[in-house]
Amino acid sequence: MSKFQVKKVAVLGAGVMGAQIAAHLVNVKVPVVLFDLAAKEGPKNGIVTKAVEGLKKLKPSPLGVAEDAALIEQANYDEHLELLRDCDLIIEAIAERMDWKLDLYKKIAPFVSENAIVASNTSGLSITKLSEALPENIKPRFCGIHFFNPPRYMYLVELINTPTTQPVVLDQLEAFVTTAVGKGVVRAKDTPNFIANRVGIAGMLGVMKQAENFGLSYDVVDDLTGKKLGRASSGTFRTADVVGLDVMFHVIKTLQDNLSESTDPFYGNFGTPAVLKTLMDAGALGQKAKAGFFKKVGRDILRFDADKKDYVPAGEKSDEVYARMLKKPAAERLKLLRASEGKQGQFLWAVLRDGFHYAAIHLQSIAETARDVDLAMRWGFGLKQGPFELWQEAGWLEVAQMVKEDIDAGKALCKAPLPDWVFKGPVADAGGVHTAAGSWNPATQKFVPRHNLPVYQRQHFPENVSGFAQGIGATAFETAGKTLFEDAAIRLWTLDGDDKRPSGTGVVIASIKTKMHVISMDVMAGLEKAVELAEVDYQGVVIWSGDEPFCAGADLQGMLPAFMSGGVNLLNEAMAEVQRVMLRLRYANVPVVSAVRGLALGGGCELAVYSAKRAVAMESYIGLVEVGVGLVPGAGGLTYIARRAAENMASSNSKDLLPFITEGFTNAAMAKVGTSAIESRKLGYLLWSDPIVPNKDELLFVAINEAKAMAASGYRAPSRRMFPVAGRNGKATITGSLINMRDGGFISQHDFHIATLIAHVVCGGDVEAGTLVTEDYLMTLERQAFTSLLTMAKTQERIMGMLSTGKPVRN
């Protein structure tokens, strides 16, 4: 099979989904041209231009940085169809109207290149029916592709074939969407609403129906069906508001129009809830209309009362006893809920039971395996576990019997019995649908492993369903490979087959084990040990801890007792040791690569910038945030800012250091955090040579290969150079601006004091402008500033406030 290369993508339709798909393609550096109808007045690209401008204003932002909107090529169907000839992938994303889509296909068909894949981004229309409007030569290259909203942040993409789609086309598209676009792909059958929306919307309708049955308010239901139940924190009704009640209405209507009692025994539950129609008629479409099931008025949150047809104060919580039940092991949890006499417990059992029932009934018709259903629900609806995972963990046959008894007693939403495979045969014998051999496919009556595409060789530890094992990902990363050293704070290890001593072709992986992967003295000692091991027997070190975050900063909770008992001197010694290890990482004889995913804040940011290179997941948020707890960076962050400013000036035509210093100073003083890896690069915490990795599950693969490539090309640590600083004149200039901000009421006196300390360090202290200094010198200034702040009452207030509430205190 020849390599499928996507040099350019066309997105047809500049609506909400089309424009945001185009934005995310720009994020991952895929050239894209966005089409829509020609405007009737003004410039013909007016519709697309308005959509692209709108991308800059959306929150959360669909773009890594707003200015990248300019990279979206704009086009209209009247003038620019010739541009399609250069596109290897064409994604149609116009409104969910079958007739409109078919008309568009006829229009574009003559301009589609002979090897291009054409895909429809639809949430539920029949892909097979859509394909019928295409010429015979395009049908084999046509399929469905369903991005979830918002496309940048939602991991799930469903691919749907037709009877005429060539298998190789889906393989090629899956590889592209996985690696280049950074998504988790699930293949769905061509049935109404596919997998996630079919199961998810049926589940939401079931929740709404059971909420009505048990007389529970929307805020109580959301409290019960959010994080406590292992689902998205927004619960059910707030999720509907976020998605949009009009969107939900459309998806429900797709079920109503395309299913019947004969094709779905739950069909009687697909009626549009009366309250949804009431809200729709009132224009209360959810979050985008600032009113739906909930409405914010000032600082108050109100909920809609269906009886009063008006909004009333919200905030009612569920009974704490059910929160305690939901923390129990799965088997005990379900039994307690089923036996509960309270209506909230009965509601929870009913919701879970209905979910098990629906997933089992429809598995064969909507998906290839149970794994696809569980991952689709995780990735598309934010579930911690899919329905089959929870069922299996709680005891397959025991739960099946409980569900059967409720069906027989008429308590379930429908009378259809569970499929025979639930109770007898391989699934019953194995104790569930997920096994080491694969996940259950009811059509073939076999356990089927994950698709064995080459792209998945890039995922050493892919996200998988519990009970499922396949390939390299068969073992959890916590116990995988060969352990070289391990204690409570860190594990140093190598991948199986990568331990090549004494030839030295392997890489040491350092996995931090502390909560939120915070930095402690033991963590720093472990990282130094990793370098020592690698310098003797390996090619490099990769800092990768398996899951998010990369590192949430220093262990403040552990630092305070040491400070209280040992005072400033002991803390100063500890900070000096942390700084020494940071420099040890920077000047190691082997490359140290930080594999960053999620938060890299404070000490986590410093750990990343003192590595030789960073491989960074797209959704990573990097910054020096110490001012939020009344401190300054103390592990070399300010020293890094000063050094990079000098390096940036040296590579420019300027001889004025201050502008380069000011940018880094502002980022630290305002605790700026990059809202994407792309923005973090713009803030200076990443270099252009640092690869940004779209798919989180490929991060370790990329980081290891970066370390090996650097070693193979003769890596040498950077030279320990002295560099110029801005000195007292630079500090005075910055301080002048700070005085204006303080006197204008924009910052507090304590904020002013912290910022002047930052300026003191990044400008090199009380020296002449242009004075050459070392990193050690600046780190001493940094350490002095850090420890002096820790003795101040206002800083201690900020630290305790953050530890107790998780929110910054302004004082």
Side-chain angles (χ1 to χ4, degrees):
M1 182 177 71
S2 60
K3 182 180 178 182
F4 176 63
Q5 293 184 320
V6 178
K7 296 181 287 293
K8 180 181 274 191
V9 175
V11 177
L12 312 182
V16 173
M17 283 302 291
Q20 291 197 53
I21 290 170
H24 187 60
L25 289 169
V26 163
N27 290 337
V28 295
K29 299 295 178 277
V30 175
V32 61
V33 53
L34 180 61
F35 280 84
D36 211 303
L37 297 168
K40 294 180 180 178
E41 297 180 358
K44 287 199 170 184
N45 280 343
I47 294 173
V48 176
T49 301
K50 183 178 179 181
V52 170
E53 288 301 308
L55 291 171
K56 302 175 185 178
K57 304 170 187 175
L58 286 178
K59 298 294 179 185
S61 177
L63 291 157
V65 287
E67 54 263 37
D68 278 358
L71 300 177
I72 299 174
E73 187 176 356
Q74 301 180 20
N76 66 78
Y77 304 127
D78 285 3
E79 299 177 307
H80 306 121
L81 287 178
E82 285 288 342
L83 293 175
L84 293 176
R85 298 189 191 279
D86 297 326
C87 296
D88 307 293
L89 172 62
I90 298 170
I91 300 174
E92 170 270 305
I94 68 170
E96 296 281 276
R97 281 275 301 267
M98 179 75 73
D99 54 341
W100 291 359
K101 289 177 184 283
L102 297 181
D103 285 346
L104 180 58
Y105 294 172
K106 291 174 184 175
K107 181 180 290 187
I108 68 168
F111 302 92
V112 176
S113 69
E114 61 181 16
N115 295 313
I117 294 174
V118 180
S120 174
N121 181 73
T122 175
S123 60
L125 295 180
S126 170
I127 303 301
T128 301
K129 286 184 179 178
L130 289 172
S131 71
E132 292 170 359
L134 291 166
E136 292 301 318
N137 68 317
I138 296 179
K139 285 182 181 179
R141 295 177 278 124
F142 178 78
C143 63
I145 184 168
H146 181 208
F147 285 86
F148 275 64
N149 191 21
R152 171 183 162 185
Y153 301 96
M154 295 300 289
Y155 191 56
L156 177 64
V157 167
E158 294 174 319
L159 297 184
I160 310 96
N161 68 327
T162 76
T164 55
T165 306
Q166 288 183 346
V168 68
V169 167
L170 246 62
D171 290 349
Q172 291 171 332
L173 190 55
E174 182 167 347
F176 170 72
V177 171
T178 299
T179 287
V181 187
K183 300 301 177 185
V185 173
V186 166
R187 296 196 188 187
K189 294 186 179 180
D190 190 11
T191 55
N193 289 347
F194 312 127
I195 297 175
N197 274 346
R198 179 71 173 273
V199 177
I201 295 300
M204 291 180 74
L205 287 170
V207 168
M208 292 178 180
K209 192 174 186 69
Q210 296 292 9
E212 186 177 345
N213 290 343
F214 289 99
L216 300 179
S217 66
Y218 304 144
D219 38 8
V220 167
V221 169
D222 278 0
D223 190 41
L224 288 169
T225 60
K227 281 189 175 180
K228 292 176 181 175
L229 197 60
R231 300 186 176 185
S233 58
S234 52
T236 301
F237 292 99
R238 281 185 179 84
T239 295
D241 279 351
V242 170
V243 170
L245 303 193
D246 52 339
V247 174
M248 186 174 178
F249 178 85
H250 169 77
V251 177
I252 293 170
K253 192 170 188 309
T254 301
L255 292 176
Q256 294 168 348
D257 293 347
N258 294 281
L259 295 171
S260 64
E261 293 282 1
S262 61
T263 57
D264 191 324
F266 288 79
Y267 186 76
N269 300 293
F270 293 159
T272 305
V275 64
L276 181 60
K277 190 174 186 311
T278 299
L279 291 168
M280 291 276 293
D281 291 344
L285 304 181
Q287 186 170 285
K288 59 190 170 189
K290 299 185 178 179
F293 287 106
F294 295 92
K295 179 169 73 171
K296 188 173 183 179
V297 178
R299 294 186 177 183
D300 298 324
I301 302 295
L302 308 180
R303 65 171 170 83
F304 188 73
D305 186 301
D307 294 329
K308 296 180 180 179
K309 291 185 168 47
D310 199 1
Y311 288 89
V312 299
E316 189 180 357
K317 298 291 184 181
S318 60
D319 193 320
E320 185 59 30
V321 68
Y322 299 108
R324 292 196 294 270
M325 282 187 189
L326 291 171
K327 292 179 181 178
K328 300 286 186 182
E332 185 180 354
R333 183 191 326 156
L334 297 191
K335 288 175 183 175
L336 285 170
L337 292 174
R338 188 172 186 242
S340 172
E341 294 182 359
K343 60 183 182 180
Q344 293 181 19
Q346 294 171 7
F347 161 79
L348 283 169
W349 163 248
V351 166
L352 293 170
R353 176 203 63 215
D354 297 340
F356 300 148
H357 191 189
Y358 194 86
I361 289 284
H362 291 292
L363 173 58
Q364 183 167 341
S365 65
I366 65 174
E368 184 179 302
T369 71
R371 175 183 182 274
D372 296 325
V373 172
D374 280 344
L375 289 183
M377 294 308 296
R378 277 214 225 155
W379 297 341
F381 277 78
L383 272 63
K384 187 176 180 180
Q385 288 180 301
F388 290 117
E389 287 180 279
L390 175 57
W391 182 349
Q392 181 167 332
E393 184 184 336
W396 185 264
L397 288 177
E398 292 83 357
V399 173
Q401 186 59 36
M402 290 193 290
V403 174
K404 180 181 183 301
E405 289 172 5
D406 278 14
I407 296 170
D408 294 343
K411 296 179 180 179
L413 287 181
C414 88
K415 298 178 181 178
L418 291 170
D420 288 343
W421 57 260
V422 170
F423 293 100
K424 57 188 178 183
V427 171
D429 294 341
V433 291
H434 303 307
T435 71
S439 288
W440 182 246
N441 181 331
T444 63
Q445 297 283 294
K446 293 179 180 178
F447 294 105
V448 179
R450 182 186 192 180
H451 289 147
N452 190 26
L453 297 178
V455 66
Y456 293 120
Q457 298 305 307
R458 296 170 58 87
Q459 298 184 3
H460 290 303
F461 299 95
E463 184 177 345
N464 259 327
V465 291
S466 55
F468 180 97
Q470 190 266 330
I472 299 175
T475 307
F477 75 87
E478 293 90 343
T479 56
K482 178 182 178 180
T483 299
L484 306 175
F485 169 82
E486 186 169 14
D487 61 14
I490 199 166
R491 178 178 180 235
L492 310 180
W493 56 290
T494 62
L495 287 174
D496 288 327
D498 202 26
D499 185 32
K500 301 293 186 182
R501 290 182 295 173
S503 57
T505 59
V507 168
V508 177
I509 302 168
S511 295
I512 301 171
K513 296 166 56 180
T514 53
K515 185 178 180 181
M516 298 290 284
H517 304 144
V518 294
I519 292 175
S520 65
M521 297 307 296
D522 287 340
V523 167
M524 298 308 291
L527 291 173
E528 183 169 29
K529 189 172 187 67
V531 170
E532 290 170 353
L533 289 169
E535 286 180 334
V536 175
D537 288 318
Y538 297 91
Q539 287 186 303
V541 175
V542 167
I543 305 172
W544 177 83
S545 301
D547 51 7
E548 296 185 30
F550 170 71
C551 175
D555 181 9
L556 288 176
Q557 214 152 10
M559 179 176 67
L560 283 180
F563 169 67
M564 298 304 292
S565 64
V568 171
N569 290 338
L570 183 62
L571 182 64
N572 188 64
E573 291 174 10
M575 293 304 301
E577 179 64 10
V578 171
Q579 292 174 340
R580 185 190 67 78
V581 177
M582 288 292 185
L583 291 176
R584 178 77 172 93
L585 299 178
R586 171 167 164 76
Y587 294 108
N589 292 325
V590 294
V592 177
V593 177
S594 282
V596 179
R597 173 185 164 199
L599 301 178
L601 304 179
C605 176
E606 290 165 317
L607 187 56
V609 300
Y610 277 88
S611 300
K613 182 168 277 195
R614 292 134 296 275
V616 188
M618 173 66 70
E619 295 309 322
S620 295
Y621 309 95
I622 306 173
L624 297 170
V625 297
E626 286 84 354
V627 296
V629 288
L631 293 168
V632 299
L638 300 183
T639 301
Y640 169 80
I641 287 172
R643 175 174 58 79
R644 282 298 298 160
E647 291 169 351
N648 288 335
M649 184 190 72
S651 64
S652 73
N653 293 324
S654 175
K655 298 300 180 185
D656 184 3
L657 182 56
L658 190 59
F660 299 96
I661 285 284
T662 302
E663 185 176 352
F665 162 81
T666 302
N667 293 341
M670 297 182 66
K672 285 188 177 181
V673 176
T675 56
S676 66
I678 301 170
E679 187 176 20
S680 296
R681 177 186 279 160
K682 184 179 176 183
L683 293 177
Y685 298 129
L686 301 178
L687 306 182
W688 280 100
S689 56
D690 295 330
I692 293 176
V693 184
N695 193 305
K696 62 183 179 62
D697 287 338
E698 296 184 0
L699 185 61
L700 178 59
F701 173 88
V702 173
I704 288 173
N705 278 278
E706 287 289 332
K708 289 184 175 182
M710 292 169 75
S713 60
Y715 176 79
R716 301 290 294 179
S719 301
R720 291 178 177 260
R721 296 179 183 276
M722 299 180 74
F723 50 88
V725 290
R728 63 177 70 92
N729 290 342
K731 177 184 173 182
T733 302
I734 294 174
T735 302
S737 299
L738 292 173
I739 290 171
N740 291 335
M741 294 179 70
R742 181 197 62 192
D743 294 348
F746 296 105
I747 58 176
S748 71
Q749 176 60 35
H750 195 51
D751 291 327
F752 172 78
H753 178 64
I754 295 168
T756 56
L757 287 177
I758 293 174
H760 178 73
V761 178
V762 298
C763 291
D766 190 21
V767 297
E768 292 292 332
T771 299
L772 297 178
V773 301
T774 64
E775 288 168 297
D776 289 308
Y777 165 78
L778 286 176
M779 281 186 169
T780 299
L781 297 181
E782 192 171 330
R783 194 165 67 247
Q784 291 169 348
F786 183 94
T787 53
S788 71
L789 283 167
L790 201 54
T791 64
M792 300 185 71
K794 287 187 179 294
T795 285
Q796 292 171 12
E797 287 173 14
R798 291 191 181 188
I799 292 173
M800 296 309 297
M802 179 64 74
L803 291 176
S804 59
T805 68
K807 297 179 181 178
V809 174
R810 289 298 173 208
N811 54 10

